[in-house]
Amino acid sequence: MTERLYYTDSYLREFRAQVVDRSEDGRTIYLDRTAFYPTSGGQPFDVGTIHDALIVEVVDEDDRVAHRVAKAVEADDVACAVDWNRRFDHMQQHTGQHLLSAVFEELFALHTVSFHLGADSATIDVEGGAVEPRKVIEAERRVNELVFANLPVQVTFEDARDVKGLRKPSDRDGTLRIVSIADLDRSACGGTHVRSTGEIGPVLLRKLEKIRQSVRVEFVCGGRALRRARADFEALSKIGQLFSASLDEAPAMVAAQLDSARAGERARRKVELDLAAYRGKELYRETAPAADGVRRVIERLERGNLEDLRAVAQNFTAQPKSVFLAVMKDPPSVLLAASEDAGIDAGMALKAAVTEAGGRGGGNARVAQGSVTEQAALEKVVEKILG
Ligand SMILES: [Zn+2]
């Protein structure tokens, strides 16, 4: 059975231990005592070194703690060092979680049902009601107030039968490890915590995400909150610079620019339609009628979008006795429009021509569009339609 030194001292960073067991390849080590935290209760494992080997994972095997190392350890009496930056970060987030869960309970009777500590942020899932923005703001204010009060965080060992006042009942028996924050919160927990709330540092609540009947609340504490605030500032500053505005004016400036971009887009579309109408009429005037009195025009495009010609085609065929055919090479496709009195049904004519050429397409009597698989087939389609 491994003695877990972190149960009684979360601040222990260096210790000596005896190797009591190891795997055949020497890459899994069991110690008589360890300060390395194994993944459990939502908190990830510690890293660090055992003798001269880096730790890659620490696994809780109930009675024992398994340390997986990057290379075999042959010594039996080993010096060990916990990567303190990672550990202290976990202590800040984890203790912050206890405090935040206690505050949600205290203010809004929202119960924490799970906790996850990720690489960049941590989350709790809460149940018992909606989490509106005002609750987030109120919880954030309260949790930071308790940080500033620098309340003691204590660990006690209590018999499961006698234990009282836990935020969340424990289903374990025997001796429970109880983590208490002043008289605010008592939780059965095996994780690592700071010794007073001041060490949690600032707590920032971030994203909310609805997940079935619970709400996932993202938060960052201490060093993470600082880094996050710095990154937010840099991002907002860049936006501000782009708009020559101060940080606080940036959202209003962005909104105004978006409005103006949308208005510009509407104006552009209108100009395009006006231009298409003009081109359609101009083309009609320039095209001489054939012997049957019908004006036929064919527009050829190398590549692009036939849709761009649709408005021109419709304006052309808005006038009597007219047929408009657009042909594009890449991808090989055709657009056909016809006036009501042109003596041709655009949809039927186009469908027949492209189908015969191994392609597909269709439309209504006035306008239709289709495609063929290869360029060589395009001229057959043109011939079939215009005769
Ligand atoms: Zn805990």
Side-chain angles (χ1 to χ4, degrees), residues 129-306:
V131 184
E132 300 93 347
R134 70 157 186 98
K135 288 186 184 167
V136 170
I137 293 165
E138 180 58 15
E140 186 178 73
R141 188 202 60 75
R142 175 67 175 150
V143 80
N144 282 288
E145 181 177 78
L146 295 168
V147 166
F148 303 152
N150 201 23
L151 306 168
V153 179
Q154 279 163 325
V155 172
T156 51
F157 293 89
E158 300 176 25
D159 193 305
R161 285 168 302 188
D162 307 331
V163 85
K164 284 190 186 73
L166 292 184
R167 171 160 44 80
K168 196 171 152 188
S170 172
D171 52 8
R172 298 190 182 214
D173 39 48
T175 303
L176 294 183
R177 182 171 182 265
I178 308 294
V179 177
S180 309
I181 303 177
D183 51 7
L184 269 171
D185 189 53
R186 274 162 60 78
S187 295
C189 182
T192 58
H193 308 84
V194 295
R195 60 195 142 204
S196 61
T197 57
E199 285 188 40
I200 297 169
V203 180
L204 300 179
L205 301 198
R206 310 271 306 172
K207 266 190 327 215
L208 296 182
E209 193 185 346
K210 184 101 185 63
I211 293 174
R212 288 182 292 277
Q213 72 271 40
S214 58
V215 179
R216 182 157 295 171
V217 182
E218 185 190 273
F219 65 96
V220 284
C221 303
R224 290 189 187 200
L226 270 185
R227 288 194 293 279
R228 193 57 252 178
R230 167 55 48 188
D232 290 351
F233 175 79
E234 301 287 346
L236 264 178
S237 295
K238 271 187 200 139
I239 295 171
Q241 275 164 22
L242 286 172
F243 292 99
S244 304
S246 78
L247 221 67
D248 296 330
E249 291 163 350
M253 288 296 268
V254 171
Q257 287 289 325
L258 265 179
D259 275 351
S260 130
R262 286 194 194 106
E265 179 61 20
R266 279 195 297 274
R268 190 186 65 78
R269 270 195 216 128
K270 185 175 180 309
V271 168
E272 260 178 21
L273 289 176
D274 288 351
L275 183 63
Y278 171 80
R279 280 182 62 201
K281 280 176 197 140
E282 183 75 5
L283 206 53
Y284 187 83
R285 242 180 341 128
E286 286 169 358
T287 308
D292 60 358
V294 176
R295 295 174 205 230
R296 294 180 180 84
V297 73
I298 174 161
E299 289 274 296
R300 292 180 186 274
L301 256 78
E302 281 299 313
R303 62 185 59 82
N305 190 353
L306 274 186

Side-chain angles (χ1 to χ4, degrees), residues 24-42:
E24 233 167 74
D25 64 0
R27 301 273 291 271
T28 301
I29 304 289
Y30 295 89
L31 305 172
D32 61 341
R33 56 210 291 264
T34 189
F36 295 112
Y37 186 77
T39 301
S40 72

Side-chain angles (χ1 to χ4, degrees), residues 63-132:
D63 275 356
R64 303 201 297 177
V65 174
H67 307 81
R68 307 215 195 286
V69 284
K71 62 173 192 175
V73 172
E74 271 149 33
D76 286 328
D77 178 31
V78 288
C80 305
V82 176
D83 179 329
W84 182 246
N85 285 337
R86 176 175 163 101
R87 159 62 81 73
F88 186 66
D89 167 57
H90 290 171
M91 285 159 61
Q92 284 188 318
Q93 313 312 313
H94 191 146
T95 318
Q97 179 262 310
H98 282 240
L99 199 57
L100 182 59
S101 292
V103 163
F104 271 124
E105 197 78 55
E106 174 196 41
L107 297 180
F108 310 115
L110 287 165
H111 320 301
T112 298
V113 293
S114 73
F115 164 55
H116 174 73
L117 209 179
D120 299 315
S121 62
T123 57
I124 51 172
D125 290 357
V126 295
E127 283 183 12
V131 184
E132 300 93 347

